[in-house]
């Protein structure tokens, strides 16, 4: 039986209309995804960061830098991310800016969305310079978040317990510390201590002040101050007046080795270093009780920066 032409035309027009509607819907969904709606499934859910690790599963690198899980975040549709502020002791609102793909910015940090689930989030922290994502260790950091309900009722544990360094972290740090015991003065294997060197005066003729190197202008946060330990030392009754800036390696037993010499021409470094070694041995080693830097309980060689001023009278 032949289908009337008019009926066939109507059928084709209907099919074409439905196809266009379907294509438009798919296009709108793709556009919605491209505009950044990765967090819509977790609107209003509060998440606690329980792990922050490099891609190798460790929270430490060979320089002693530790990735610490500290974020508490909560998405509020359509464009707000609430995050805990230690300074304000409460949740602070930040504009959630969608960049491209699955990359977002909030609280002056860039993240790529890896996983979004009502129980958990995984975000990759990115180091961005201009419009370029750096392809180094700084962008190789993954942050895992869980809800309190998931932590307490499913995992049967606490946020603090999940945030502790892992057994792999402990093994890694023990290995780094053991290396420094074999070659204590070597600056290439010394690494930053989570509990930096402590200098305790044992004479009334000396005083010391530990100076923070936090610097908002250069984006150096107080949380990484342990990477740059800096001490100002003043010695009274010295053999003459002097003022020097330099660094020393402090080994696991508290012995100091002069490392970097500041403020001299290249040709004068050798002479200045010998002079500083004398000051270190005569004054610093004898006027202080030196507690070495430690990480996860292991003493090890670490570098500290000093400004030492001597006053004859």
């Amino acid at each position: 039986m032949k289908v009337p032409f008019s009926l066939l035309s109507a059928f084709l027009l209907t099919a074409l209309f439905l196809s266009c509607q379907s294509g438009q819907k798919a296009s709108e969904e793709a556009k919605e995804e491209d505009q950044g709606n990765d967090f819509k499934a977790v609107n209003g859910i509060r998440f606690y960061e329980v792990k922050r690790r490099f891609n190798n599963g460790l929270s430490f690198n060979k320089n002693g830098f530790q990735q610490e899980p500290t974020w508490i975040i909560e998405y509020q549709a359509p464009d707000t991310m609430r995050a805990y502020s230690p300074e304000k002791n409460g949740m602070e609102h930040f504009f959630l800016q969608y960049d491209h793909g699955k990359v977002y910015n909030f609280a002056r940090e860039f993240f790529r969305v890896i996983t979004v689930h009502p129980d958990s989030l995984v975000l990759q922290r990115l180091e961005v310079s201009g419009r370029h994502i750096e392809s180094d260790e700084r962008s190789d950091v993954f942050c895992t978040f869980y809800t309190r309900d998931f932590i307490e009722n499913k995992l049967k544990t606490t946020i603090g317990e999940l945030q502790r360094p892992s057994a792999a972290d402990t093994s890694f740090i023990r290995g780094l510390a053991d290396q420094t015991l074999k070659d204590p003065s070597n600056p290439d294997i010394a690494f930053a201590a989570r509990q930096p060197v402590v200098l305790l005066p044992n004479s009334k003729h000396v005083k010391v002040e530990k100076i923070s190197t936090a610097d908002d202008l250069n984006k150096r946060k107080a949380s990484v101050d342990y990477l740059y330990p800096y001490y100002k030392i003043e010695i009274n009754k010295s053999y003459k007046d002097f003022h020097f800036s330099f660094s020393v390696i402090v080994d696991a037993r508290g012995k100091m080795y002069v490392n970097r010499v500041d403020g001299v021409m290249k040709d004068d470094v050798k002479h200045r270093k010998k002079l500083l070694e004398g000051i270190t041995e005569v004054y610093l080693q004898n006027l202080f009780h030196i507690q070495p830097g430690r990480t996860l309980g292991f003493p090890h060689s670490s570098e500290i920066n000093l400004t030492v001023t001597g006053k004859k009278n």
Side-chain angles (χ1 to χ4, degrees):
M1 182 180 69
K2 292 185 178 181
V3 179
F5 179 75
S6 59
L7 184 60
L8 179 61
S9 298
F11 174 77
L12 291 175
L13 287 172
T14 300
L16 180 62
F17 175 78
L18 292 174
S19 175
C20 289
Q21 287 289 93
S22 177
Q24 182 180 357
K25 183 178 179 181
S27 176
E28 289 175 351
E29 289 176 349
K31 183 179 179 181
E32 182 182 16
E33 176 67 22
D34 186 57
Q35 289 178 341
N37 285 286
D38 294 278
F39 294 102
K40 62 183 178 181
V42 295
N43 184 37
I45 300 175
R46 185 165 295 188
F47 291 90
Y48 299 81
E49 189 182 12
V50 295
K51 290 188 294 184
R52 189 185 303 180
R53 294 177 180 165
F54 296 105
N55 195 38
N56 60 7
L58 297 173
S59 59
F60 288 88
N61 68 10
K62 63 182 180 62
N63 298 318
F65 174 63
Q66 181 185 10
Q67 296 286 355
E68 293 186 276
T70 59
W71 287 88
I72 303 172
I73 61 174
E74 181 181 326
Y75 172 66
Q76 289 188 338
D79 57 9
T80 298
M81 185 67 81
R82 300 180 69 210
Y84 179 76
S85 168
E87 292 80 12
K88 296 185 177 181
N89 194 28
M91 301 294 284
E92 187 175 355
H93 291 73
F94 295 96
F95 175 61
L96 181 66
Q97 179 183 359
Y98 173 69
D99 192 89
H100 70 281
K102 290 181 175 291
V103 175
Y104 295 80
N105 176 276
F106 67 89
R108 299 171 293 278
E109 299 278 2
F110 282 90
F111 297 90
R112 175 181 285 121
V113 173
I114 304 299
T115 302
V116 175
H117 187 275
D119 284 336
S120 62
L121 300 175
V122 178
L123 306 179
Q124 179 184 4
R125 185 199 172 278
L126 304 172
E127 183 68 23
V128 176
S129 178
R131 300 288 296 175
H132 175 69
I133 297 174
E134 300 292 343
S135 57
D136 57 25
E137 187 183 58
R138 294 172 296 172
S139 292
D140 192 24
V141 178
F142 295 83
C143 310
T144 300
F145 298 78
Y146 294 148
T147 64
R148 186 181 291 275
D149 178 70
F150 183 74
I151 294 168
E152 295 178 352
N153 298 319
K154 298 288 182 64
L155 299 180
K156 306 295 185 182
T157 186
T158 65
I159 297 170
E161 188 64 29
L162 292 175
Q163 291 176 332
R164 291 168 59 88
S166 66
D169 287 327
T170 300
S171 178
F172 178 71
I173 292 299
R174 181 190 291 114
L176 293 182
D178 286 347
Q179 287 184 46
T180 70
L181 295 177
K182 298 172 184 176
D183 193 4
S185 65
N186 188 345
D188 294 331
I189 58 176
F191 61 98
R194 280 314 321 258
Q195 289 76 47
V197 170
V198 176
L199 303 176
L200 300 173
N202 58 23
S203 168
K204 64 180 181 180
H205 297 300
V206 65
K207 59 183 180 180
V208 60
E209 180 183 7
K210 190 175 186 300
I211 307 296
S212 172
T213 59
D215 184 351
D216 290 338
L217 184 62
N218 292 308
K219 298 181 179 180
R220 182 180 288 181
K221 300 178 181 178
S223 59
V224 297
D225 204 37
Y226 68 94
L227 295 173
Y228 314 96
Y230 172 47
Y231 307 79
K232 292 179 71 173
I233 295 172
E234 186 176 301
I235 302 169
N236 293 313
K237 306 291 185 181
S238 59
Y239 76 102
K240 70 172 186 177
D241 292 343
F242 58 79
H243 182 83
F244 299 119
S245 293
F246 58 106
S247 77
V248 296
I249 303 297
V250 181
D251 72 12
R253 296 174 180 83
K255 181 174 174 54
M256 290 182 170
Y257 306 85
V258 176
N259 182 42
R260 192 190 66 253
V261 178
D262 298 334
V264 295
M265 301 294 289
K266 186 176 180 180
D267 291 343
D268 297 326
V269 168
K270 185 176 180 180
H271 173 74
R272 175 65 61 84
K273 186 172 184 179
K274 187 174 182 179
L275 173 62
L276 294 176
E277 287 172 343
I279 291 174
T280 299
E281 183 176 349
V282 173
Y283 291 109
L284 304 186
Q285 292 284 177
N286 292 307
L287 296 178
F288 291 97
H289 173 63
I290 303 169
Q291 296 179 359
R294 293 175 177 266
T295 300
L296 300 185
F298 301 106
H300 58 85
S301 296
S302 61
E303 184 176 19
I304 64 173
N305 301 294
L306 305 174
T307 295
V308 181
T309 300
K311 295 182 177 181
K312 187 174 181 180
N313 297 319

